[in-house]
Amino acid sequence: MSIQKPKGTQDLLPGEIEKWQYVEAKARELCKRFNYREIRTPIFENTELFQRGVGETTDIVEKEMYTFEAKGDRNKPLSFSLRPEGTAGVVRAYVENKIYGEPDISKLFYIGPMFRYEQPQAGRYRQFHQFGIEAFGSVDPSIDAEVIALGYTFYSELGIQNVTVDINSVGTPACRDIYKQKLKEFFTPVKDQLCSDCQSRFDRNPMRILDCKKDQKLGEGAPTILEYLDEECTVHFAAVQEHLRAMNIPFQINPRLVRGLDYYTHTAFEYKAAGIGAIDTIGGGGRYNGLVGQIAGGNNDQPGVGLGLGLERTLLILQAQNVELPSEKLLDVYLIGLGEAAEKEVTKQLQLLRLAGVKAEKDYLGRKIKAQMKSADRYKATFVAILGDDELSRGEITVKSMANGEQQTMLLEQLVTGMLEKI
RNA sequence: GCGGUCGUGGCGAAGUGGUUAACGCAUCGGUUUGUGGAUCCGACACUCGAGGGUUCAAUUCCCUUCGAUCGCCCCA
């Protein structure tokens, strides 16, 4: 058996990659309009960064990281991990490069691969790609709303329909502690009836029980976090909604929305769309006040808010909704040379055309003219230019339109300018 | 980590315990000695994911393994 790609990874081949390029170009262009600037951070980081940043007890850190040892000191080898998400690395770079020292708030975006050791299924891979943004330095609710709006705009400008935005406030750690206590009290009488997963969630993270599909009924009537938000959190959450309404971003409040990463405070949100098997979340994010300080080691704490969107999921939804992405034609002109002298001239003209910006191609398999015509047709070339000995001797070339079959003769020396006019 | 389904040429897809593994698409060649998208003709799998077992005989039965896919958990 020849070597195969690792499970859960994929080769993006010509034919498919154009869609990726289009989607990524959309992301970059959108970020320009919203004034977010690109940042590229390493694909692996010290394992500790993710342990501290993502959260020691999250599934991601507990069982989904690709961690490896590297040479360090004899006694203390270094432990690195492939990044399972984008925020921790960006926060690290923000702190390490003292970007907080700049006068304005920092608005950054990234596009790149992430890695999680999980069982693949529809819309889930071990190497997947995210487009994400992070805004550091402001607690203003309008920036929460801006982040949500950027993600929503991304989907809508790609032509994706029926994306819903769920938002919630997960408060501060202080209100969350009170709420978790109340939640435990609520579930205590029925604790034995909870599923085994939820039994363990009861102690570790009771908020997750509300997410459980099996225990929906038991969770009915449970208190919501919104009832336990303090004054500041309530005001912030209301203001985020105001700004969303002002921007005409549709949303719904989902008090049961809990995210899988520990670092969120205040705003949490998810984008959902149907069409990828059992998966409906295509992106999400939230505010993470305190995370920067935690990663910086207590100094230079700065508030932040961001999002991460799954690119595979975006493409799957585009496919599910039959969205046609604009595609570029491959060739303007296909050159056919008949005979040795003509072929040499074709090589010369090919280069001249390419230098002039014309997408041009020729045959490299020694095929007959008919086969070359077919090849030109497959490439969807707009024109075919045929050069035989007789044309060559007159210093001319025959140019044929593949759309209507019309042919005309051009002077060889005018081929480049002629093609530039036609395309 | 657990469970379901699947694995035949570039792609799609039949098939059977036994000396030629259908068919369709695509490709290549010819019909048209310099012209595509139509028709017709022809070519194209020492081989049925890999390894092992049962058998006189296995692509077809059994086991293992790898992979794909879908789902659970969780998430992008």
Side-chain angles (χ1 to χ4, degrees):
Chain A
M1 203 62 214
S2 53
I3 297 172
Q4 295 171 295
K5 66 183 184 300
K7 185 196 275 279
T9 65
Q10 46 183 344
D11 297 316
L12 300 173
L13 308 177
E16 179 71 16
I17 200 76
E18 290 80 4
K19 296 175 190 158
W20 282 80
Q21 291 168 342
Y22 180 80
V23 167
E24 289 170 6
K26 169 60 73 183
R28 290 187 194 315
E29 183 267 325
L30 195 59
C31 282
K32 266 186 194 161
R33 277 188 271 151
F34 279 73
N35 193 31
Y36 284 76
R37 299 172 76 188
E38 183 168 4
I39 180 169
R40 299 191 193 185
T41 63
I43 245 166
F44 63 95
E45 298 270 4
N46 275 291
T47 300
E48 194 188 345
L49 173 67
F50 301 119
Q51 289 169 339
R52 286 218 307 234
V54 179
E56 200 82 61
T57 61
T58 57
D59 281 3
I60 292 176
V61 168
E62 263 187 354
K63 52 184 194 189
E64 294 174 4
M65 284 212 294
Y66 281 95
T67 297
F68 55 96
E69 247 180 38
K71 296 174 187 176
D73 290 349
R74 267 184 297 278
N75 322 321
K76 209 178 80 181
L78 299 169
S79 174
F80 294 118
S81 294
L82 298 181
R83 62 184 185 192
E85 56 94 56
T87 300
V90 173
V91 169
R92 194 226 79 235
Y94 172 78
V95 171
E96 185 168 341
N97 296 287
K98 300 182 170 59
I99 297 176
Y100 49 76
E102 294 180 352
D104 289 305
I105 70 165
S106 307
K107 308 204 323 184
L108 305 167
F109 80 91
Y110 58 85
I111 295 173
M114 307 294 163
F115 305 84
R116 264 128 91 161
Y117 187 86
E118 289 187 277
Q119 217 45 244
Q121 72 182 67
R124 204 169 76 190
Y125 302 89
R126 288 184 171 178
Q127 174 174 341
F128 61 101
H129 300 78
Q130 282 190 336
F131 158 46
I133 68 173
E134 315 289 352
F136 298 103
S138 169
V139 293
D140 193 308
S142 69
I143 193 98
D144 301 46
E146 173 181 288
V147 168
I148 294 170
L150 189 151
Y152 185 80
T153 309
F154 175 70
Y155 293 124
S156 72
E157 288 193 359
L158 282 173
I160 297 174
Q161 312 278 324
N162 302 322
V163 173
T164 60
V165 183
D166 279 19
I167 66 168
N168 191 24
S169 174
V170 295
T172 59
C175 7
R176 216 150 46 213
D177 283 346
I178 297 170
Y179 174 60
K180 282 182 185 168
Q181 201 47 49
K182 294 289 176 191
L183 214 47
K184 280 190 182 178
E185 287 169 19
F186 176 84
F187 280 113
T188 300
V190 293
K191 190 177 175 188
D192 306 335
Q193 300 168 46
L194 294 171
C195 70
S196 55
D197 284 327
C198 286
Q199 304 257 352
S200 64
R201 286 180 182 137
F202 183 88
D203 289 313
R204 291 181 44 187
N205 191 352
M207 287 167 71
R208 286 221 150 280
I209 300 175
L210 297 176
D211 241 5
C212 182
K213 287 160 192 154
K214 295 177 204 148
D215 295 332
Q216 280 293 330
K217 308 119 280 176
L218 293 173
E220 276 172 25
T224 73
I225 179 109
L226 299 179
E227 298 161 31
Y228 293 92
L229 293 181
D230 61 25
E231 180 69 16
E232 184 211 335
C233 292
T234 306
V235 167
H236 184 91
F237 190 42
V240 170
Q241 295 172 49
E242 287 302 312
H243 286 288
L244 285 174
R245 286 192 200 98
M247 286 187 286
N248 226 349
I249 305 296
F251 64 90
Q252 57 199 41
I253 295 170
N254 176 1
R256 300 193 161 199
L257 174 62
V258 181
R259 308 227 67 235
L261 294 82
D262 282 353
Y263 50 60
Y264 289 112
T265 60
H266 295 283
T267 316
F269 59 91
E270 281 184 0
Y271 304 96
K272 293 178 191 245
I276 316 179
I279 286 168
D280 61 358
T281 301
I282 54 178
R287 178 167 279 282
Y288 44 82
N289 298 346
L291 177 64
V292 174
Q294 201 174 317
I295 285 176
N299 303 315
N300 297 310
D301 190 19
Q302 290 285 342
V305 54
L307 60 68
L309 310 182
L311 293 184
E312 280 80 2
R313 291 182 183 183
T314 300
L315 286 155
L316 285 167
I317 290 290
L318 282 167
Q319 191 181 27
Q321 298 192 356
N322 289 315
V323 179
E324 286 287 325
L325 300 180
S327 64
E328 234 184 321
K329 71 173 167 170
L330 292 173
L331 284 186
D332 297 315
V333 57
Y334 190 100
L335 296 182
I336 299 177
L338 305 164
E340 252 178 63
E343 277 175 36
K344 197 185 284 179
E345 182 64 24
V346 158
T347 303
K348 171 185 166 187
Q349 293 297 334
L350 189 65
Q351 176 69 356
L352 291 175
L353 285 163
R354 287 169 170 172
L355 288 175
V358 178
K359 285 175 281 191
E361 184 56 297
K362 68 182 273 289
D363 168 77
Y364 304 95
L365 295 173
R367 290 187 291 200
K368 302 195 168 133
I369 181 165
K370 184 186 169 96
Q372 295 194 42
M373 289 296 294
K374 277 187 144 181
S375 178
D377 196 40
R378 273 195 300 270
Y379 281 124
K380 297 190 179 11
T382 314
F383 296 99
V384 166
I386 303 163
L387 184 67
D389 288 334
D390 40 340
E391 281 112 332
L392 187 58
S393 63
R394 293 195 300 269
E396 294 174 342
I397 188 163
T398 301
V399 174
K400 171 172 179 164
S401 159
M402 292 299 271
N404 56 27
E406 279 172 21
Q407 295 194 178
Q408 64 172 284
T409 304
M410 270 186 202
L411 285 176
L412 255 181
E413 57 200 33
Q414 286 171 3
L415 178 63
V416 171
T417 51
M419 290 313 304
L420 284 172
E421 274 171 33
K422 285 173 168 290
I423 60 174

